[in-house]
Amino acid sequence: MKPFEIINLGNGLEIHFCLDATDTNAQFTMFKVVIHPNAKVPAAHYHENFDETIYGLKGSLTVTVDDQIITLGPGDFHFVKRGRVHNFINQTDETVEVLAFANPGVLTANYFKDLLGIFEAGGPPDMGKLKSTMLEYGLVPVVS
């Protein structure tokens, strides 16, 4: 088994990429997300080309899917069908960990690496580049 890759986005989010599309014949990707208190989290968005299942490992994560608010604790899971607007936030003083499965395996570690490049450019992140990067990988930001 290959070691997983850790991508620290520097904003309170860490992505521990476990299985990429090349590992699963593009059937799915799997990564652990570590969300520290007060982390800057992705804007509400939906996926054009993949579904996502989120499985709670540690702590309590608040997930909003469309207008439904869901709390995921250890052992809890939620399936987010493509096209459904969702986001998440750690509203606690504890670090939260979830395991995410995206299927089919079109979301790769390169998405998170590209985000990291934007965050490391210095100064506030370029919102236009963030949006275009999200769109490039099939994540569509939703502004309320």
Side-chain angles (χ1 to χ4, degrees):
M1 181 170 93
K2 74 175 188 176
F4 56 82
E5 181 174 10
I6 299 174
I7 304 165
N8 186 339
L9 294 175
N11 57 1
L13 285 177
E14 298 170 24
I15 309 299
H16 299 228
F17 227 89
C18 306
L19 292 169
D20 214 329
T22 56
D23 301 315
T24 66
N25 197 29
Q27 296 301 302
F28 68 94
T29 55
M30 181 176 76
F31 50 95
K32 180 171 75 169
V33 183
V34 179
I35 308 116
H36 296 279
N38 302 311
K40 293 184 181 175
V41 296
H45 63 280
Y46 64 89
H47 307 146
E48 288 185 313
N49 305 314
F50 62 93
D51 302 314
E52 182 175 31
T53 302
I54 307 165
Y55 180 84
L57 297 172
K58 175 183 173 186
S60 179
L61 184 68
T62 302
V63 180
T64 303
V65 180
D66 295 328
D67 293 329
Q68 181 183 11
I69 297 174
I70 302 149
T71 301
L72 290 180
D76 296 333
F77 59 90
H78 191 78
F79 175 74
V80 182
K81 184 174 176 61
R82 68 191 78 186
R84 296 196 63 199
V85 176
H86 62 285
N87 68 336
F88 61 87
I89 188 167
N90 177 358
Q91 296 181 314
T92 73
D93 294 329
E94 307 279 328
T95 298
V96 173
E97 296 181 4
V98 297
L99 195 58
F101 298 87
N103 63 297
V106 295
L107 183 66
T108 67
N110 290 336
Y111 168 66
F112 299 104
K113 291 176 187 176
D114 288 353
L115 289 182
L116 180 59
I118 294 168
F119 295 139
E120 289 181 333
D126 181 322
M127 298 311 281
K129 284 184 181 178
L130 280 174
K131 181 178 180 180
S132 66
T133 299
M134 289 179 76
L135 291 170
E136 178 183 342
Y137 288 93
L139 290 84
V140 180
V142 176
V143 178
S144 26

